[in-house]
Amino acid sequence: RAEKTEVLSEDLLQVEKRLELVKQVSHSTHKKLTACLQGQQGVDADKRSKKLPLTTLAQCLMEGSAVLGDDSLLGKMLRLCGEAEDKLAQELIHFELQVERDVIEPLFVLAEVEIPNIQKQRKHLAKLVLDMDSSRTRWQQSAKSSGLTSNLQPSGAKADALREEMEEAANRVEICRDQLSADMYNFVAKEVDYANYFQTLIEVQAEYHRKSLALLQNVLPQIKAQQEAWMEKPSFGKPLEEHLAVSRREIAFPVEACVTMLLECGMQEEGLFRVAPSASKLKKLKAALDCCVVDMQEYSADPHAIAGALKSYLRELPEPLMTFELYEEWIQASNIPEQEKRLQALWSACEKLPKANYNNIRYLIKFLAKLTEYQDMNKMTPSNVAIVLGPNLLWPQADGNMTEMMTTVSLQIVGIIEPLIQHADWFFPGDIEFNVTGNYGSPMHINHNANYSSMPSPDMDHADRRQHDQARRPLSVATDNMMLEFYKKDGLRKIQSMGVRVMDTSWVARRGTSAVRKASSTPPAAQPPAPPAELPAAPHSPIPEQSPDTSATPSPPPTSFGFPTGTER
């Protein structure tokens, strides 16, 4: 057997080994990169778009938007997101086409064409070398059989033929070796170009993500603007300032709605705020308040559910109405033994409340003071009201067992809330209009016909009260006439929420002539007014009923409560 002659240099032998490694890596990378493509490989952009998951998602969102309509917030969100997803799909198609053209196809050519061609040439060279070695061996054997020494060349026709065959084989080996060497050197020189494929991949990916990010950043403000412009936002569990800013109100919607409903139908209800309501009724009312759609007629027969919803709203606020920041000051004020100094400290804490919190606590305390005027019927004295509502107005900001924590401070909180209710007109001077926005039934309880009488005054004597109770209609139908006036005036107004038509049963503003009765309530910054001289056990009504003609001129405050005059305040 002929000895194999090595015709490649050591450098080319190293290149030959590297060829196989590069081929394996290129083949594996091409396979994995192809698997990353979401569209069908090798087709045009239109056909690729139909099979793209993002395109399918965009179509689904647009169809959902058409079903819900642009009148609902969800419909608007689906339309904006569908348009954004469709643009992202187009960017993805452009990205994949560019990756396929500039990276995947060149890698395929490298792994499946260029390197296999070099390896094929290498195999052909090996065959030529074998043929050359064989012809040389035959020629050498011919020389030995002729008995010639190694210095003499064999002669004759056969020897000439063998020599020509050997020379021709050597010539073919030389040509193939030169071609193979050139291809191998070219491969080594082009390694920079091969590495550039991966640089191109990263650059194309970066450009795709930049464009995608720009699209998302462009649509995101539009989505946020739609959400901010949408007025029907939940109020339970949301910060007070956020709810007031969104709804453009001064008094929280659940507070005003519940207070005005209770003024209509709950002031004489025994155990108001103390008796637990039906869980299903409470859940339904809270959901209705979150949607800003409440049917007063439905809940007029269940004032405990209304009171429970008000307590739930106050309790679910992220920060209590009387604020975490002033908690220690409230507690310290309640611990002062001298009555005069204690009330002055409570007054000072009230003045430090943020404007939104001050307006709402003033509104609520005024209502609770009015509620205690009917304590002979509802059994809710200022102390009882403070016990059941105090923990919902103020609690500490601390981790741990809330039940144990509230047990230790409940008496102190009662000592804070009870004086506020007892002396509401001293802490918050001036009359207040409970129907702030004019969207609810009148708290003045104007009698629209003979079948419905307003709620009796606590100052009414026993005989008049009995006559009033006999003439008064049941609570369940107490608002029929008001609702009738509403339907006569405005008809059935429809609103759409979440794509479903819902009847708007907000109550019409009262048609009486009572004006807003407000007085300046900002105490002097330097010196607070003198506190009440004594704490009455059962305080008289601090807000006497006034006729519409005299409501615009508040009566002078009682001197025992230390009110300053209007000009002083």
Side-chain angles (χ1 to χ4, degrees), residues 100-120:
E100 189 175 339
R101 182 185 68 246
D102 296 340
V103 180
I104 294 179
E105 290 181 0
L107 281 177
F108 177 81
V109 172
L110 175 62
E112 305 297 333
V113 178
E114 293 183 2
I115 293 179
N117 285 342
I118 296 176
Q119 291 177 332
K120 184 178 179 180

Side-chain angles (χ1 to χ4, degrees), residues 383-558:
S383 176
N384 291 341
V385 174
I387 289 172
V388 296
L389 270 182
N392 300 310
L393 296 173
L394 182 64
W395 62 84
Q397 184 181 21
D399 298 328
N401 191 323
M402 181 60 70
T403 303
E404 296 179 0
M405 186 166 50
M406 292 308 300
T407 302
T408 60
V409 301
S410 59
L411 292 178
Q412 293 173 307
I413 294 177
V414 171
I416 297 169
I417 305 301
E418 183 178 1
L420 293 180
I421 298 174
Q422 287 177 327
H423 308 298
D425 286 336
W426 180 74
F427 284 102
F428 307 104
D431 293 336
I432 190 169
E433 176 59 76
F434 292 107
N435 191 10
V436 178
T437 56
N439 293 331
Y440 308 99
S442 167
M444 297 295 292
H445 314 289
I446 298 174
N447 185 10
H448 293 288
N449 58 35
N451 290 329
Y452 173 62
S453 299
S454 63
M455 188 170 296
S457 168
D459 301 327
M460 187 182 298
D461 60 31
H462 183 70
D464 293 339
R465 182 183 300 278
R466 179 179 300 176
Q467 182 180 359
H468 176 278
D469 291 339
Q470 291 175 354
R472 188 168 181 265
R473 293 177 63 185
L475 288 176
S476 59
V477 293
T479 57
D480 287 354
N481 294 286
M482 184 192 64
M483 296 302 294
L484 181 61
E485 292 293 329
F486 166 74
Y487 286 119
K488 285 180 179 178
K489 181 179 179 180
D490 293 331
L492 292 175
R493 295 189 295 113
K494 302 288 185 179
I495 64 171
Q496 287 188 349
S497 176
M498 301 292 288
V500 181
R501 288 188 176 274
V502 182
M503 182 181 297
D504 184 356
T505 54
S506 300
W507 314 303
V508 70
R510 70 165 177 269
R511 306 169 73 177
T513 59
S514 60
V516 177
R517 298 170 298 170
K518 292 185 178 178
S520 176
S521 58
T522 305
Q527 179 64 34
E534 59 182 3
L535 287 171
H540 185 68
S541 172
I543 309 178
E545 292 292 335
Q546 297 180 358
S547 64
D549 297 336
T550 60
S551 59
T553 306
S555 58

